Amino acid sequence: MLQISGLHFDDSSGDYNNWCGGGGGIGKYNVMWKMDEKISCLVGLQRRDEFHKVEGGLMALLRSCLGSESGNSRCILSGYIDHFQSIESEDVGWGCGWRNVQMLCSHLLAQRPEAREVLFGGSGFVPDIPSLQRWLEFAWERGFDAPGSDQFNHTVYGTEKWIGTTECAALLRSFGLRARVVDFGPKESEMLYLSVPGSSVGTQELVRIGKKRKAPLICGPMDRYLSHDASQSSRSQDGKSCSSLIPLHDMVSKENCGDRVVKSAAKQSEGHQVLMDFVWNYFSNKSTIQFGHHQCVLVSEKTPLYFQHDGHSRTIVGIQVKQQRTGISQYNLLVLDPAHRTAALEKSLREKVGWQKLIKRGVHTLKKQQYQLCYVDPEIASEEEMEKLKTIDSVFLEF
């Protein structure tokens, strides 16, 4: 294995000899490559990921299913997207973050010409996980999300390290895409998020919580609670957990156990409605909900949402709101999960049987204390804006 300026290449492969000047022509050590040469090499080394292609498109099937439902409701969906499932022999237990990056990129490549021109050297396809790992290391080398790079020890290629929302943002921003991050959580965790000036991101400063003071193990936004050294030992036995995120309330639960007041399920759902409202407004551009006598399924120009929480990440492709007889609006997130088999998902949608359990997630299912979203604004960043994009920031919304 050869490492050049932070990039890793398998010098035993044909790809290395073909694209990186095999045969000693460039020398294997202490070589300073120009930026365009590195990009050219990465473009040559990357490989298209194989996935189950749904004839006619998965979102078309979902639109049909939603349109056939009875009841007074409205749905808003993102445009085209491919589903990338975790594979037992490759990435089950750690690869959900990469799979969500792939899903988001499949949308960008299909729906946004400006993104297609810049993503992955203009290749026009979604690369496999090892290729994405190389691109992320290259983004770090260029200065995108330096604190995150430090936490990974600047290395992710060839490992089973879990990634989160900020790694997705850093990767996409390195291509000039305006990836944005939104944090959701309790007020007492606000100081740990990227959006707060003077937060303890990347430091070991003491954090005041109530009357107790405790130094957090790892500070940062939600997906930065990764304990990388313990990642292999902390993975759940069933292989379904894709991260070792340590929620704030777990960090101090032992200290505050006697005094802590547990929120009721109803109160928690009320708080988590903040996330539902954000997703609805995001896809609808805050348009007024007008219920008629027929089902309405609209398509938004917005990108899907990378959806991160403690233990797993998924992709939100839309939202449904139903008007109840009581006058209360009931929301359902429409989610694609990397843990699901694409073929089974397709079958369920085509037959219109059991698809709701695979895709719909109501507010009552949001049981975590913290969530994080990533989306991509339109257009490509200017050279001046690119420098600002190297620092990953976020907007914090309180539950």
Side-chain angles (χ1 to χ4, degrees):
M1 183 71 69
L2 171 64
Q3 179 174 339
I4 299 179
S5 187
L7 297 178
H8 304 265
F9 305 109
D10 184 355
D11 55 0
S12 64
S13 70
D15 284 339
Y16 172 84
N17 290 325
N18 290 336
W19 293 96
C20 296
I26 62 170
K28 289 190 175 182
Y29 307 104
N30 300 320
V31 178
M32 296 300 294
W33 285 10
K34 294 181 180 179
M35 193 70 69
D36 57 349
E37 291 174 325
K38 291 180 180 180
I39 293 174
S40 178
C41 189
L42 285 173
V43 170
L45 285 171
Q46 68 183 351
R47 296 182 179 179
R48 181 194 300 264
D49 203 359
E50 301 295 331
F51 64 97
H52 180 87
K53 191 78 171 179
V54 176
E55 184 178 353
L58 197 65
M59 297 303 286
L61 295 178
L62 179 55
R63 285 198 301 271
S64 177
C65 286
L66 291 168
S68 65
E69 283 190 311
S70 59
N72 192 15
S73 68
R74 173 168 290 192
C75 307
I76 307 178
L77 300 176
S78 60
Y80 182 92
I81 187 172
D82 290 313
H83 179 259
F84 285 79
Q85 70 176 55
S86 292
I87 300 174
E88 184 69 35
S89 60
E90 295 182 12
D91 65 287
V92 166
W94 62 272
C96 57
W98 297 106
R99 296 304 182 185
N100 290 303
V101 170
Q102 289 178 319
M103 284 193 259
L104 184 51
C105 287
S106 74
H107 171 87
L108 292 168
L109 291 171
Q111 299 288 126
R112 295 194 177 176
E114 75 278 12
R116 187 180 180 88
E117 290 181 7
V118 297
L119 271 175
F120 313 120
S123 65
F125 61 77
V126 177
D128 61 8
I129 291 178
S131 301
L132 291 176
Q133 290 175 328
R134 285 191 177 113
W135 282 113
L136 178 57
E137 286 189 0
F138 187 47
W140 286 339
E141 183 185 350
R142 293 169 58 196
F144 289 88
D145 191 22
S149 177
D150 290 341
Q151 290 180 357
F152 281 87
N153 197 25
H154 318 289
T155 303
V156 71
Y157 175 73
T159 73
E160 295 184 359
K161 294 177 180 178
W162 298 305
I163 65 164
T165 316
T166 53
E167 284 71 51
C168 174
L171 177 64
L172 296 178
R173 286 183 176 200
S174 70
F175 295 107
L177 300 179
R178 292 167 167 160
R180 311 297 186 190
V181 177
V182 184
D183 287 306
F184 299 84
K187 180 67 176 179
E188 58 265 27
S189 67
E190 184 179 10
M191 67 187 73
L192 295 180
Y193 289 102
L194 292 166
S195 57
V196 183
S199 67
S200 55
V201 174
T203 74
Q204 290 298 313
E205 297 176 4
L206 292 177
V207 177
R208 182 176 294 277
I209 304 171
K211 297 181 180 180
K212 302 291 184 179
R213 288 174 65 85
K214 182 177 179 65
L217 298 178
I218 300 176
C219 297
M222 194 185 70
D223 69 296
R224 291 272 183 80
Y225 285 94
L226 294 164
S227 180
H228 301 297
D229 294 337
S231 62
Q232 299 306 313
S233 60
S234 62
R235 185 186 307 170
S236 64
Q237 293 181 353
D238 62 7
K240 293 182 180 179
S241 179
C242 288
S243 78
S244 56
L245 303 180
I246 307 171
L248 182 68
H249 72 284
D250 286 347
M251 291 164 51
V252 296
S253 60
K254 291 184 180 179
E255 295 184 358
N256 298 340
C257 184
D259 300 325
R260 183 162 55 92
V261 178
V262 180
K263 290 183 179 181
S264 67
K267 184 68 175 178
Q268 180 169 311
S269 293
E270 180 181 343
H272 285 67
Q273 185 62 39
V274 172
L275 190 151
M276 289 289 189
D277 292 340
F278 175 88
V279 174
W280 175 264
N281 290 331
Y282 169 78
F283 281 115
S284 66
N285 279 326
K286 298 184 179 181
S287 60
T288 303
I289 304 173
Q290 296 179 347
F291 292 93
H293 297 290
H294 302 286
Q295 171 77 22
C296 183
V297 182
L298 304 175
V299 177
S300 171
E301 294 183 354
K302 297 296 186 71
T303 65
L305 294 160
Y306 183 124
F307 182 40
Q308 178 79 46
H309 58 81
D310 174 21
H312 194 38
S313 61
R314 294 167 288 173
T315 298
I316 298 174
V317 297
I319 188 168
Q320 179 188 55
V321 59
K322 287 189 174 183
Q323 190 80 344
Q324 304 298 302
R325 292 180 178 178
T326 59
I328 298 175
S329 297
Q330 176 187 343
Y331 290 83
N332 289 308
L333 298 177
L334 305 174
V335 175
L336 294 182
D337 193 331
H340 293 155
R341 292 176 56 249
T342 311
L345 183 59
E346 178 187 11
K347 183 175 185 293
S348 179
L349 288 169
R350 289 195 185 280
E351 297 177 357
K352 297 183 177 179
V353 176
W355 63 272
Q356 294 95 335
K357 291 183 178 181
L358 296 175
I359 292 178
K360 288 188 179 184
R361 294 292 180 269
V363 69
H364 65 283
T365 68
L366 302 178
K367 302 180 182 299
K368 303 296 183 179
Q369 293 295 311
Q370 300 165 325
Y371 290 89
Q372 199 170 55
L373 300 176
C374 180
Y375 63 92
V376 183
D377 276 337
E379 302 179 354
I380 303 299
S382 64
E383 185 175 344
E384 180 181 358
E385 187 180 353
M386 283 287 283
E387 286 301 312
K388 297 179 181 179
L389 290 177
K390 289 182 178 180
T391 300
I392 310 295
D393 53 6
S394 73
V395 173
F396 177 81
L397 296 178
E398 180 187 353
F399 277 157

